[in-house]
Amino acid sequence: HQQTIVSAREVKPQLELERPQEKAPAETRDTKDRLRGLMGRLLKALFRVEVHGLENYHQAGPRFIIVANHVSYLDAPLLATLLPELPTFAISKNVARRWWVRPWLRLVRTIGVDFGSPMSFKHMIHEVRQGRPCMIFPEGRLTQTGGLMKIYG
């Protein structure tokens, strides 16, 4: 499936939020980076993944949001391991509470969002302003057809 990278420079400055950032110890970051690299190689080998279009990623500038169709539960792990840097994932608070999702959340940065509330995205806007790429699946769930679903707002 094709990912579209959109510049987030047009994010309006009226939403300001100062949220303390947790600093992971260097050993933890190194361990996570090694695990991320290992998982990326494993997923590439198992699923014969080819990465195309990274030039778009590098041309996006310092602040951007990554938008992708959500066709499989492998989408997030593939993107987390194969993108040049680990994005912050916007995840539904309901999905984040599931027992089988919680262990994976310790390996990536996430922002729990209520997709029905525009104010829920303040933390994501803050991450983008800090120069951290953010990943969203705009439909908020797996697609049934493989194409984009209608997004209600």
Side-chain angles (χ1 to χ4, degrees):
H1 44 285
Q2 179 180 11
Q3 282 84 30
T4 304
I5 298 175
V6 179
S7 172
R9 291 191 184 114
E10 57 276 333
V11 173
K12 302 285 186 231
Q14 71 240 22
L15 293 175
E16 292 298 330
L17 175 67
E18 289 302 320
R19 184 179 67 149
Q21 295 294 315
E22 295 179 19
K23 299 285 184 184
E27 313 84 55
T28 304
R29 283 192 308 267
D30 290 343
T31 302
K32 284 185 179 182
D33 287 344
R34 282 194 294 269
L35 181 59
R36 183 172 172 255
L38 176 66
M39 289 295 296
R41 288 189 297 278
L42 179 65
L43 289 171
K44 275 178 124 172
L46 285 174
F47 298 104
R48 298 184 188 148
V49 175
E50 293 181 13
V51 179
H52 299 277
L54 282 180
E55 65 278 0
N56 297 317
Y57 184 94
H58 297 297
Q59 292 174 3
R63 294 184 238 165
F64 56 94
I65 296 172
I66 304 160
V67 181
N69 290 0
H70 200 4
V71 296
S72 162
Y73 285 114
L74 285 173
D75 295 334
L78 283 168
L79 289 164
T81 57
L82 299 177
L83 287 173
E85 60 186 303
L86 184 64
T88 300
F89 286 85
I91 184 170
S92 162
K93 290 179 180 181
N94 293 331
V95 172
R97 289 186 196 111
R98 295 182 183 160
W99 68 269
W100 55 272
V101 172
R102 284 192 309 251
W104 297 103
L105 297 182
R106 285 182 264 182
L107 301 174
V108 296
R109 289 188 312 263
T110 61
I111 297 172
V113 294
D114 172 4
F115 287 99
S117 169
M119 295 307 289
S120 183
F121 287 90
K122 286 193 304 186
H123 292 297
M124 189 175 78
I125 292 168
H126 177 73
E127 290 286 299
V128 170
R129 285 197 177 134
Q130 296 301 312
R132 297 180 195 100
C134 286
M135 175 77 232
I136 63 170
F137 299 104
E139 295 100 339
R141 61 188 173 102
L142 292 177
T143 180
Q144 303 298 310
T145 64
L148 284 174
M149 294 184 288
K150 187 171 183 175
I151 301 172
Y152 298 94

